[in-house]
Protein backbone atom coordinates (compact mmCIF):
# COMPACT_ATOMS: atom_id res chain seq x y z
CA UNK A 1 0.00 0.00 0.00
CA UNK A 2 1.16 3.53 -0.80
CA UNK A 3 0.24 6.75 0.96
CA UNK A 4 0.37 9.58 -1.54
CA UNK A 5 0.53 13.27 -0.69
CA UNK A 6 -0.11 16.13 -3.09
CA UNK A 7 1.07 19.62 -2.16
CA UNK A 8 -0.70 22.91 -2.89
CA UNK A 9 0.64 23.39 -6.43
CA UNK A 10 -0.54 19.85 -7.34
CA UNK A 11 -4.14 20.64 -6.36
CA UNK A 12 -4.27 24.33 -7.28
CA UNK A 13 -6.86 24.04 -10.08
CA UNK A 14 -8.96 21.62 -12.13
CA UNK A 15 -6.12 20.79 -14.51
CA UNK A 16 -3.87 19.75 -11.65
CA UNK A 17 -6.65 17.79 -9.94
CA UNK A 18 -7.24 15.86 -13.18
CA UNK A 19 -3.55 14.96 -13.20
CA UNK A 20 -3.70 13.61 -9.67
CA UNK A 21 -6.72 11.46 -10.52
CA UNK A 22 -4.67 9.90 -13.33
CA UNK A 23 -1.65 9.43 -11.09
CA UNK A 24 -3.57 7.79 -8.26
CA UNK A 25 -5.63 5.49 -10.45
CA UNK A 26 -2.60 4.38 -12.49
CA UNK A 27 -1.40 2.35 -9.50
CA UNK A 28 -3.83 0.22 -7.46
CA UNK A 29 -1.50 0.48 -4.44
CA UNK A 30 -2.13 4.23 -4.16
CA UNK A 31 -4.98 3.94 -1.68
CA UNK A 32 -4.65 6.84 0.74
CA UNK A 33 -4.37 10.30 -0.77
CA UNK A 34 -3.46 13.30 1.39
CA UNK A 35 -4.22 16.69 -0.14
CA UNK A 36 -3.26 20.28 0.62
CA UNK A 37 -5.44 23.35 0.13
CA UNK A 38 -5.28 24.82 -3.39
CA UNK A 39 -1.88 26.50 -3.75
CA UNK A 40 -0.55 29.01 -6.24
CA UNK A 41 -1.69 28.66 -9.86
CA UNK A 42 1.14 30.93 -11.01
CA UNK A 43 3.99 32.94 -9.54
CA UNK A 44 1.91 35.93 -8.49
CA UNK A 45 -1.05 33.94 -7.13
CA UNK A 46 -2.03 33.59 -3.45
CA UNK A 47 -2.43 30.24 -1.70
CA UNK A 48 -5.90 29.51 -0.33
CA UNK A 49 -4.36 29.11 3.14
CA UNK A 50 -3.09 32.69 2.93
CA UNK A 51 -6.50 33.88 1.75
CA UNK A 52 -8.03 32.12 4.75
CA UNK A 53 -5.59 33.73 7.16
CA UNK A 54 -6.43 37.14 5.69
CA UNK A 55 -10.14 36.36 6.06
CA UNK A 56 -9.75 35.20 9.68
CA UNK A 57 -7.74 38.33 10.54
CA UNK A 58 -10.50 40.53 9.17
CA UNK A 59 -13.08 38.67 11.26
CA UNK A 60 -10.90 38.99 14.36
CA UNK A 61 -10.40 42.71 13.73
CA UNK A 62 -14.16 43.17 13.36
CA UNK A 63 -13.72 44.43 9.79
CA UNK A 64 -15.96 43.81 6.80
CA UNK A 65 -14.87 40.40 5.51
CA UNK A 66 -17.37 39.67 2.74
CA UNK A 67 -14.87 40.19 -0.14
CA UNK A 68 -12.22 38.13 1.62
CA UNK A 69 -14.74 35.31 2.07
CA UNK A 70 -15.77 35.41 -1.57
CA UNK A 71 -12.07 35.33 -2.63
CA UNK A 72 -11.82 31.91 -0.98
CA UNK A 73 -15.15 30.66 -2.33
CA UNK A 74 -14.11 31.87 -5.80
CA UNK A 75 -11.12 29.53 -5.85
CA UNK A 76 -13.36 26.50 -5.32
CA UNK A 77 -16.01 27.82 -7.72
CA UNK A 78 -13.38 27.88 -10.47
CA UNK A 79 -12.51 24.24 -9.75
CA UNK A 80 -16.17 23.17 -9.56
CA UNK A 81 -16.94 24.78 -12.90
CA UNK A 82 -13.93 23.40 -14.74
CA UNK A 83 -14.51 19.88 -13.40
CA UNK A 84 -18.24 20.15 -14.04
CA UNK A 85 -19.14 19.19 -10.48
CA UNK A 86 -22.64 19.94 -9.09
CA UNK A 87 -23.06 23.65 -8.21
CA UNK A 88 -24.05 22.84 -4.63
CA UNK A 89 -20.37 21.97 -4.02
CA UNK A 90 -19.72 25.73 -3.94
CA UNK A 91 -22.73 26.72 -1.86
CA UNK A 92 -21.82 24.02 0.66
CA UNK A 93 -18.31 25.47 0.97
CA UNK A 94 -19.67 28.98 1.39
CA UNK A 95 -22.05 27.77 4.10
CA UNK A 96 -19.20 25.89 5.79
CA UNK A 97 -17.05 29.05 5.94
CA UNK A 98 -19.92 31.16 7.25
CA UNK A 99 -20.64 28.48 9.85
CA UNK A 100 -17.01 28.48 11.02
CA UNK A 101 -17.11 32.27 11.38
CA UNK A 102 -20.42 32.24 13.23
CA UNK A 103 -19.32 29.46 15.53
CA UNK A 104 -16.21 31.40 16.58
CA UNK A 105 -15.42 30.80 20.24
CA UNK A 106 -13.34 32.78 22.71
CA UNK A 107 -9.95 31.40 21.67
CA UNK A 108 -8.64 33.41 18.69
CA UNK A 109 -5.82 30.95 17.97
CA UNK A 110 -8.30 28.10 17.80
CA UNK A 111 -10.54 30.16 15.50
CA UNK A 112 -7.58 30.84 13.22
CA UNK A 113 -6.89 27.08 13.06
CA UNK A 114 -10.51 26.31 12.23
CA UNK A 115 -10.34 28.76 9.33
CA UNK A 116 -6.94 27.56 8.05
CA UNK A 117 -8.02 23.92 8.23
CA UNK A 118 -11.02 24.61 6.01
CA UNK A 119 -8.62 25.00 3.06
CA UNK A 120 -7.61 21.34 3.04
CA UNK A 121 -10.93 20.12 4.41
CA UNK A 122 -13.05 21.60 1.62
CA UNK A 123 -10.48 20.73 -1.03
CA UNK A 124 -10.48 17.08 0.07
CA UNK A 125 -14.29 16.98 -0.26
CA UNK A 126 -14.14 18.52 -3.75
CA UNK A 127 -11.37 16.13 -4.83
CA UNK A 128 -13.27 13.08 -3.54
CA UNK A 129 -16.24 14.17 -5.66
CA UNK A 130 -13.97 14.66 -8.66
CA UNK A 131 -12.56 11.11 -8.32
CA UNK A 132 -16.03 9.62 -8.02
CA UNK A 133 -17.32 11.61 -11.00
CA UNK A 134 -14.39 10.34 -13.05
CA UNK A 135 -15.54 6.77 -12.29
CA UNK A 136 -13.16 6.02 -9.41
CA UNK A 137 -15.19 5.82 -6.20
CA UNK A 138 -13.40 7.74 -3.45
CA UNK A 139 -14.34 8.78 0.07
CA UNK A 140 -13.48 11.90 2.01
CA UNK A 141 -12.30 11.02 5.51
CA UNK A 142 -12.49 13.55 8.32
CA UNK A 143 -9.18 13.57 10.27
CA UNK A 144 -10.75 14.02 13.70
CA UNK A 145 -13.22 11.17 13.14
CA UNK A 146 -10.47 8.90 11.82
CA UNK A 147 -8.40 9.45 14.97
CA UNK A 148 -5.87 12.14 14.01
CA UNK A 149 -5.58 13.45 17.56
CA UNK A 150 -3.38 16.48 18.16
CA UNK A 151 -2.13 18.52 21.10
CA UNK A 152 -3.94 21.79 21.70
CA UNK A 153 -1.01 24.00 20.69
CA UNK A 154 -3.03 25.77 18.02
CA UNK A 155 -1.06 26.56 14.88
CA UNK A 156 1.81 24.41 16.09
CA UNK A 157 0.11 21.19 17.18
CA UNK A 158 1.80 17.82 17.52
CA UNK A 159 0.35 14.41 16.92
CA UNK A 160 -0.61 12.37 20.00
CA UNK A 161 0.86 8.87 20.13
CA UNK A 162 -2.53 7.15 20.36
CA UNK A 163 -3.43 8.46 16.88
CA UNK A 164 -1.28 5.86 15.15
CA UNK A 165 -3.27 2.91 16.49
CA UNK A 166 -6.58 4.51 15.56
CA UNK A 167 -5.47 5.58 12.07
CA UNK A 168 -4.22 2.06 11.27
CA UNK A 169 -7.83 1.10 10.52
CA UNK A 170 -7.75 3.26 7.38
CA UNK A 171 -5.93 0.46 5.59
CA UNK A 172 -9.10 -1.63 5.68
CA UNK A 173 -11.09 0.77 3.53
CA UNK A 174 -12.02 -0.56 0.10
CA UNK A 175 -12.34 2.79 -1.65
CA UNK A 176 -9.65 5.37 -2.36
CA UNK A 177 -9.40 7.62 0.69
CA UNK A 178 -9.06 11.36 0.26
CA UNK A 179 -7.67 12.71 3.52
CA UNK A 180 -7.19 16.44 4.12
CA UNK A 181 -3.70 17.32 5.31
CA UNK A 182 -2.51 19.92 7.83
CA UNK A 183 -5.01 19.44 10.68
CA UNK A 184 -6.57 17.11 13.19
CA UNK A 185 -8.63 17.34 16.32
CA UNK A 186 -7.75 17.91 19.97
CA UNK A 187 -9.09 15.46 22.53
CA UNK A 188 -11.90 17.87 23.28
CA UNK A 189 -12.90 17.93 19.62
CA UNK A 190 -11.46 21.29 18.52
CA UNK A 191 -9.73 21.67 15.17
CA UNK A 192 -5.97 22.21 15.48
CA UNK A 193 -3.34 22.62 12.75
CA UNK A 194 0.27 21.63 12.38
CA UNK A 195 2.78 24.38 11.50
CA UNK A 196 2.60 25.76 7.93
CA UNK A 197 3.41 23.17 5.30
CA UNK A 198 1.94 20.58 7.65
CA UNK A 199 0.28 18.35 5.05
CA UNK A 200 3.67 16.65 4.77
CA UNK A 201 3.29 15.74 8.45
CA UNK A 202 -0.19 14.29 7.88
CA UNK A 203 1.17 12.12 5.05
CA UNK A 204 4.06 10.87 7.18
CA UNK A 205 1.73 10.03 10.08
CA UNK A 206 -0.66 8.07 7.87
CA UNK A 207 2.20 6.23 6.15
CA UNK A 208 3.52 5.18 9.55
CA UNK A 209 0.06 4.29 10.91
CA UNK A 210 -0.89 1.97 8.04
CA UNK A 211 2.71 0.72 7.64
CA UNK A 212 2.76 1.79 4.01
CA UNK A 213 5.34 0.30 1.67
CA UNK A 214 6.19 3.79 0.55
CA UNK A 215 5.16 7.38 1.22
CA UNK A 216 4.98 9.18 -2.11
CA UNK A 217 5.23 12.93 -1.83
CA UNK A 218 4.22 14.65 -5.06
CA UNK A 219 5.44 18.16 -5.71
CA UNK A 220 6.60 20.12 -8.75
CA UNK A 221 10.18 18.93 -9.27
CA UNK A 222 11.39 15.75 -11.01
CA UNK A 223 13.80 14.95 -8.23
CA UNK A 224 15.86 16.52 -5.51
CA UNK A 225 19.02 18.14 -6.85
CA UNK A 226 22.43 17.40 -5.38
CA UNK A 227 23.12 21.14 -5.25
CA UNK A 228 21.08 24.33 -5.31
CA UNK A 229 20.20 25.06 -8.97
CA UNK A 230 20.43 28.78 -8.16
CA UNK A 231 24.10 28.26 -7.42
CA UNK A 232 25.12 25.97 -10.28
CA UNK A 233 23.47 25.18 -13.60
CA UNK A 234 21.98 21.71 -14.11
CA UNK A 235 23.06 20.09 -10.87
CA UNK A 236 22.90 16.28 -10.82
CA UNK A 237 19.69 14.67 -9.55
CA UNK A 238 19.70 12.52 -6.43
CA UNK A 239 18.22 9.05 -7.12
CA UNK A 240 18.46 7.80 -3.59
CA UNK A 241 19.57 9.11 -0.22
CA UNK A 242 19.19 8.07 3.39
CA UNK A 243 17.21 9.88 6.06
CA UNK A 244 20.51 10.93 7.67
CA UNK A 245 21.78 12.39 4.42
CA UNK A 246 18.57 14.29 3.91
CA UNK A 247 18.70 15.69 7.41
CA UNK A 248 22.30 16.89 7.02
CA UNK A 249 21.50 18.52 3.68
CA UNK A 250 18.29 20.08 5.01
CA UNK A 251 20.24 21.50 7.93
CA UNK A 252 22.24 23.78 5.62
CA UNK A 253 19.51 25.10 3.44
CA UNK A 254 18.11 22.18 1.44
CA UNK A 255 14.43 22.89 1.00
CA UNK A 256 13.21 19.33 0.33
CA UNK A 257 11.11 18.84 3.41
CA UNK A 258 10.96 20.49 6.68
CA UNK A 259 12.94 17.65 8.27
CA UNK A 260 10.64 17.52 11.29
CA UNK A 261 7.72 16.89 8.94
CA UNK A 262 8.79 13.37 8.16
CA UNK A 263 9.75 12.19 11.65
CA UNK A 264 6.80 9.73 11.87
CA UNK A 265 7.80 8.07 8.58
CA UNK A 266 11.46 7.99 9.61
CA UNK A 267 10.65 6.35 12.97
CA UNK A 268 8.58 3.70 11.21
CA UNK A 269 11.30 3.28 8.54
CA UNK A 270 8.89 3.95 5.68
CA UNK A 271 10.74 4.81 2.45
CA UNK A 272 9.77 8.20 1.02
CA UNK A 273 9.64 8.96 -2.69
CA UNK A 274 9.61 12.55 -3.93
CA UNK A 275 7.90 12.77 -7.31
CA UNK A 276 6.61 15.32 -9.81
CA UNK A 277 2.86 15.71 -10.42
CA UNK A 278 3.65 17.30 -13.79
CA UNK A 279 5.97 14.47 -14.85
CA UNK A 280 4.94 11.37 -12.92
CA UNK A 281 6.94 8.94 -15.04
CA UNK A 282 10.21 10.46 -13.79
CA UNK A 283 11.53 8.09 -11.10
CA UNK A 284 11.93 10.83 -8.47
CA UNK A 285 14.16 10.71 -5.42
CA UNK A 286 13.93 7.91 -2.86
CA UNK A 287 14.72 8.64 0.78
CA UNK A 288 15.40 5.38 2.60
CA UNK A 289 16.47 4.23 6.06
CA UNK A 290 19.78 2.82 4.83
CA UNK A 291 21.64 2.10 1.64
CA UNK A 292 24.92 0.63 0.43
CA UNK A 293 26.68 3.71 -0.88
CA UNK A 294 29.53 3.70 -3.32
CA UNK A 295 32.82 4.22 -1.53
CA UNK A 296 33.72 7.90 -1.38
CA UNK A 297 30.52 9.08 -2.99
CA UNK A 298 28.98 12.42 -2.14
CA UNK A 299 25.21 12.69 -2.37
CA UNK A 300 24.80 16.44 -2.08
CA UNK A 301 26.36 19.77 -1.17
CA UNK A 302 24.38 22.48 0.59
CA UNK A 303 25.14 25.83 2.12
CA UNK A 304 23.54 28.38 4.35
CA UNK A 305 24.50 31.94 5.34
CA UNK A 306 23.78 33.79 8.58
CA UNK A 307 26.12 32.15 11.10
CA UNK A 308 28.63 33.62 13.53
CA UNK A 309 31.47 32.25 15.65
CA UNK A 310 32.57 33.11 19.16
CA UNK A 311 36.26 32.27 19.56
CA UNK A 312 37.57 31.79 23.09
CA UNK A 313 41.25 31.30 24.00
CA UNK A 314 42.55 30.40 27.40
CA UNK A 315 45.98 29.05 28.17
CA UNK A 316 45.73 25.55 29.73
CA UNK A 317 42.03 25.26 28.91
CA UNK A 318 42.41 21.51 28.43
CA UNK A 319 43.31 21.07 32.11
CA UNK A 320 40.47 23.16 33.45
CA UNK A 321 37.81 20.71 34.56
CA UNK A 322 34.29 22.01 33.92
CA UNK A 323 35.23 24.79 31.48
CA UNK A 324 33.00 23.46 28.70
CA UNK A 325 30.12 22.85 31.06
CA UNK A 326 30.25 26.40 32.44
CA UNK A 327 30.40 27.82 28.94
CA UNK A 328 27.42 25.83 27.72
CA UNK A 329 25.53 26.57 30.91
CA UNK A 330 25.79 30.30 30.19
CA UNK A 331 24.28 29.65 26.76
CA UNK A 332 21.52 27.61 28.35
CA UNK A 333 20.73 30.29 30.91
CA UNK A 334 20.55 32.84 28.11
CA UNK A 335 18.25 30.50 26.16
CA UNK A 336 20.57 30.21 23.17
CA UNK A 337 21.04 27.05 21.13
CA UNK A 338 24.40 26.50 19.47
CA UNK A 339 25.22 24.64 16.26
CA UNK A 340 28.81 23.39 16.60
CA UNK A 341 31.62 23.63 19.11
CA UNK A 342 34.95 22.74 17.50
CA UNK A 343 37.71 22.89 20.10
CA UNK A 344 41.50 22.80 20.47
CA UNK A 345 43.89 22.47 23.42
CA UNK A 346 43.57 26.06 24.52
CA UNK A 347 40.58 27.23 22.51
CA UNK A 348 36.96 26.61 21.87
CA UNK A 349 34.76 28.09 19.18
CA UNK A 350 31.02 28.19 19.25
CA UNK A 351 29.12 28.45 16.00
CA UNK A 352 25.66 29.93 16.32
CA UNK A 353 23.06 31.39 14.05
CA UNK A 354 23.58 35.16 14.08
CA UNK A 355 19.91 35.84 14.69
CA UNK A 356 19.99 33.48 17.68
CA UNK A 357 22.74 35.55 19.30
CA UNK A 358 21.14 38.84 18.23
CA UNK A 359 20.87 41.50 20.89
CA UNK A 360 22.19 39.13 23.55
CA UNK A 361 25.73 39.29 22.15
CA UNK A 362 27.08 41.99 24.45
CA UNK A 363 25.72 40.33 27.58
CA UNK A 364 26.97 36.88 26.62
CA UNK A 365 30.47 38.13 25.88
CA UNK A 366 30.47 40.00 29.21
CA UNK A 367 29.41 36.84 31.05
CA UNK A 368 32.03 34.72 29.27
CA UNK A 369 34.68 37.29 30.30
CA UNK A 370 33.55 37.44 33.91
CA UNK A 371 32.76 33.76 34.49
CA UNK A 372 35.31 31.95 32.29
CA UNK A 373 38.16 34.46 32.43
CA UNK A 374 39.51 33.75 28.97
CA UNK A 375 42.74 35.30 27.62
CA UNK A 376 40.94 36.32 24.48
CA UNK A 377 37.45 36.38 23.11
CA UNK A 378 36.25 37.49 19.69
CA UNK A 379 32.99 37.32 17.76
CA UNK A 380 32.91 37.03 13.98
CA UNK A 381 29.72 37.49 11.98
CA UNK A 382 29.06 36.93 8.29
CA UNK A 383 29.89 33.23 8.14
CA UNK A 384 28.34 30.59 5.91
CA UNK A 385 28.33 26.87 6.51
CA UNK A 386 28.91 24.56 3.59
CA UNK A 387 28.11 20.86 4.01
CA UNK A 388 29.39 18.02 1.88
CA UNK A 389 27.21 15.01 2.61
CA UNK A 390 27.40 11.31 1.74
CA UNK A 391 27.15 7.98 3.56
CA UNK A 392 30.07 6.80 1.44
CA UNK A 393 32.43 9.39 2.90
CA UNK A 394 32.98 7.48 6.09
CA UNK A 395 36.60 6.34 6.38
CA UNK A 396 37.30 7.21 2.77
CA UNK A 397 40.74 8.75 2.58
CA UNK A 398 41.25 11.85 0.53
CA UNK A 399 37.79 13.40 0.85
CA UNK A 400 38.96 16.39 2.89
CA UNK A 401 41.98 16.99 0.70
CA UNK A 402 39.78 16.95 -2.38
CA UNK A 403 37.61 19.63 -0.80
CA UNK A 404 40.43 21.78 0.53
CA UNK A 405 42.25 21.44 -2.81
CA UNK A 406 39.16 22.80 -4.54
CA UNK A 407 39.01 25.72 -2.10
CA UNK A 408 42.70 26.46 -2.66
CA UNK A 409 42.25 26.56 -6.42
CA UNK A 410 39.19 28.80 -6.16
CA UNK A 411 40.92 31.16 -3.72
CA UNK A 412 38.42 30.49 -0.92
CA UNK A 413 39.73 31.07 2.57
CA UNK A 414 38.58 28.46 5.08
CA UNK A 415 37.50 29.74 8.47
CA UNK A 416 36.86 26.33 10.00
CA UNK A 417 36.55 22.62 9.19
CA UNK A 418 34.52 20.14 11.18
CA UNK A 419 34.97 16.56 10.11
CA UNK A 420 34.50 13.43 12.11
CA UNK A 421 31.71 14.60 14.42
CA UNK A 422 29.32 13.26 11.83
CA UNK A 423 30.36 10.16 9.94
CA UNK A 424 28.54 11.25 6.85
CA UNK A 425 29.44 14.88 6.37
CA UNK A 426 32.18 17.48 6.33
CA UNK A 427 31.34 20.99 7.40
CA UNK A 428 33.26 24.05 6.25
CA UNK A 429 32.80 27.60 7.48
CA UNK A 430 33.63 30.33 4.97
CA UNK A 431 32.92 34.05 4.80
CA UNK A 432 29.45 34.85 3.37
CA UNK A 433 31.11 36.54 0.39
CA UNK A 434 32.86 33.28 -0.50
CA UNK A 435 29.84 31.00 -0.14
CA UNK A 436 28.82 30.70 -3.79
CA UNK A 437 32.43 30.34 -4.93
CA UNK A 438 32.99 27.64 -2.30
CA UNK A 439 29.94 25.62 -3.33
CA UNK A 440 30.78 25.89 -7.01
CA UNK A 441 34.35 24.75 -6.35
CA UNK A 442 33.12 21.73 -4.37
CA UNK A 443 30.55 20.90 -7.06
CA UNK A 444 33.27 20.84 -9.69
CA UNK A 445 35.46 18.66 -7.50
CA UNK A 446 32.85 16.06 -6.43
CA UNK A 447 30.41 15.93 -9.34
CA UNK A 448 32.75 16.05 -12.32
N1 LIG B 1 -1.96 24.58 3.22
C1 LIG B 1 -1.03 24.60 4.31
C2 LIG B 1 0.03 25.67 4.08
O1 LIG B 1 -0.03 26.37 3.08
C3 LIG B 1 -0.42 23.25 4.58
C4 LIG B 1 0.27 22.59 3.41
O2 LIG B 1 0.04 22.95 2.26
O3 LIG B 1 1.06 21.66 3.66
O4 LIG B 1 0.87 25.84 4.91
Amino acid sequence: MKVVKFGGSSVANAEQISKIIDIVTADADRRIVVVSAPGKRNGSDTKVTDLLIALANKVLAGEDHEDALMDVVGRYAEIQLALDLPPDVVSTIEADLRGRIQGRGKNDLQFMDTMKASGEDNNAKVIAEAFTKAGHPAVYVNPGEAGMLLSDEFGNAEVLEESFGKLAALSENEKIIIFPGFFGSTKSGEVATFPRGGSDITGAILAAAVKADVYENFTDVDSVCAMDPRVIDNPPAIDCMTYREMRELAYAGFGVFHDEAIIPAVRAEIPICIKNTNNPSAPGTMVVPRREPEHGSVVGISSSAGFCAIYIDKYMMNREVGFGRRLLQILEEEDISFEHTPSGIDNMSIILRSDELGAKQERIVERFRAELQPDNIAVEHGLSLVMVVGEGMHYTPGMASKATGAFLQAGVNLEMINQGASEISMMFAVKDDDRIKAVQALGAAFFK
Side-chain angles (χ1 to χ4, degrees):
M1 168 185 289
K2 294 176 179 172
V3 170
V4 196
K5 182 252 163 179
F6 293 96
S9 64
S10 302
V11 288
N13 57 22
E15 192 190 338
Q16 293 300 89
I17 293 173
S18 301
K19 285 184 196 167
I20 81 163
I21 295 177
D22 290 343
I23 291 171
V24 171
T25 53
D27 181 344
D29 290 339
R30 291 180 174 140
R31 301 249 309 278
I32 299 180
V33 181
V34 176
V35 295
S36 284
K40 293 184 179 192
R41 293 159 294 183
N42 53 56
S44 56
D45 202 12
T46 310
K47 290 169 144 206
V48 163
T49 308
D50 291 313
L51 294 178
L52 287 161
I53 292 171
L55 167 60
N57 279 329
K58 283 206 151 80
V59 174
L60 289 172
E63 291 170 15
D64 175 37
H65 54 262
E66 202 50 34
D67 289 351
L69 187 133
M70 290 322 283
D71 282 348
V72 178
V73 175
R75 288 291 306 265
Y76 294 103
E78 185 193 294
I79 294 173
Q80 172 267 326
L81 209 63
L83 290 177
D84 197 22
L85 298 174
D88 67 353
V89 165
V90 181
S91 47
T92 309
I93 291 174
E94 186 180 334
D96 169 73
L97 287 170
R98 291 192 192 281
R100 286 174 198 250
I101 293 170
Q102 252 163 20
R104 174 185 156 196
K106 288 206 178 66
N107 185 339
D108 291 352
L109 288 175
Q110 198 282 319
F111 171 67
M112 180 58 87
D113 272 15
T114 301
M115 295 304 288
K116 283 194 287 185
S118 75
E120 338 309 273
D121 203 28
N122 285 318
N123 211 25
K125 289 177 185 163
V126 171
I127 290 172
E129 286 228 26
F131 267 81
T132 307
K133 180 163 192 294
H136 309 285
V139 279
Y140 154 85
V141 170
N142 178 278
E145 284 165 16
M148 179 68 84
L149 293 176
L150 309 190
S151 65
D152 58 6
E153 298 146 280
F154 298 108
N156 194 25
E158 284 183 32
V159 67
L160 302 182
E161 210 42 50
E162 61 210 83
S163 301
F164 292 90
K166 296 189 198 304
L167 293 165
L170 289 176
S171 63
E172 284 149 30
N173 214 304
E174 298 281 296
K175 289 186 185 167
I176 297 168
I177 289 175
I178 312 292
F179 198 102
F182 190 37
F183 74 97
S185 164
T186 65
K187 278 194 160 167
S188 50
E190 292 168 308
V191 169
T193 69
F194 294 120
R196 290 298 303 270
S199 298
D200 282 340
I201 308 181
T202 304
I205 292 168
L206 294 188
V210 303
K211 302 195 172 47
D213 297 309
V214 57
Y215 169 29
E216 289 183 323
N217 198 302
F218 279 83
T219 158
D220 47 15
V221 292
D222 274 357
S223 42
V224 180
C225 297
M227 295 174 73
D228 187 341
R230 289 167 303 186
V231 176
I232 68 158
D233 289 334
N234 300 319
I238 301 178
D239 305 329
C240 185
M241 64 178 152
T242 61
Y243 299 141
R244 302 203 288 177
E245 289 172 325
M246 198 202 72
R247 161 112 177 98
E248 300 249 357
L249 288 170
Y251 168 75
F254 247 53
V256 193
F257 285 119
H258 194 332
D259 38 357
E260 281 169 34
I262 54 161
I263 291 172
V266 170
R267 287 213 182 108
E269 300 204 339
I270 311 287
I272 302 166
C273 186
I274 298 154
K275 285 178 77 76
N276 190 353
T277 304
N278 304 314
N279 185 17
S281 58
T285 297
M286 286 296 292
V287 190
V288 296
R290 53 196 87 72
R291 69 187 179 107
E292 241 357 286
E294 229 177 279
H295 217 47
S297 64
V298 166
V299 73
I301 298 168
S302 64
S303 69
S304 174
F307 290 87
C308 65
I310 308 178
Y311 301 99
I312 301 170
D313 294 322
K314 186 172 189 186
Y315 191 58
M316 304 291 273
M317 186 191 284
N318 66 325
R319 300 265 189 95
E320 194 175 321
V321 174
F323 184 92
R325 182 193 52 75
R326 290 205 308 277
L327 184 150
L328 296 182
Q329 185 155 353
I330 295 173
L331 293 182
E332 182 179 345
E333 284 164 8
E334 298 291 340
D335 196 25
I336 286 185
S337 71
F338 66 94
E339 305 297 318
H340 306 270
T341 53
S343 61
I345 307 170
D346 287 339
N347 20 55
M348 218 165 142
S349 320
I350 306 126
I351 313 258
L352 314 127
R353 294 192 188 266
S354 286
D355 55 4
E356 180 85 14
L357 191 58
K360 294 178 185 168
Q361 175 172 327
E362 212 174 307
R363 194 170 65 236
I364 301 267
V365 170
E366 238 354 277
R367 286 195 63 183
F368 280 175
R369 270 213 184 95
E371 295 170 44
L372 304 171
Q373 293 170 340
D375 299 331
N376 238 317
I377 178 162
V379 184
E380 185 179 5
H381 285 277
L383 294 179
S384 286
L385 298 189
V386 181
M387 309 278 291
V388 179
V389 178
E391 296 271 354
M393 288 170 52
H394 193 26
Y395 296 133
T396 308
M399 298 299 277
S401 80
K402 202 167 176 178
T404 49
F407 286 145
L408 181 68
Q409 262 192 350
V412 171
N413 202 17
L414 267 179
E415 302 293 314
M416 199 176 290
I417 306 184
N418 194 355
Q419 189 193 12
S422 157
E423 295 172 352
I424 66 158
S425 71
M426 281 184 289
M427 184 212 86
F428 303 96
V430 299
K431 292 233 161 53
D432 279 345
D433 290 343
D434 279 340
R435 179 174 73 92
I436 306 274
K437 213 167 25 162
V439 174
Q440 288 170 340
L442 290 171
F446 286 104
F447 295 125
K448 263 197 297 252

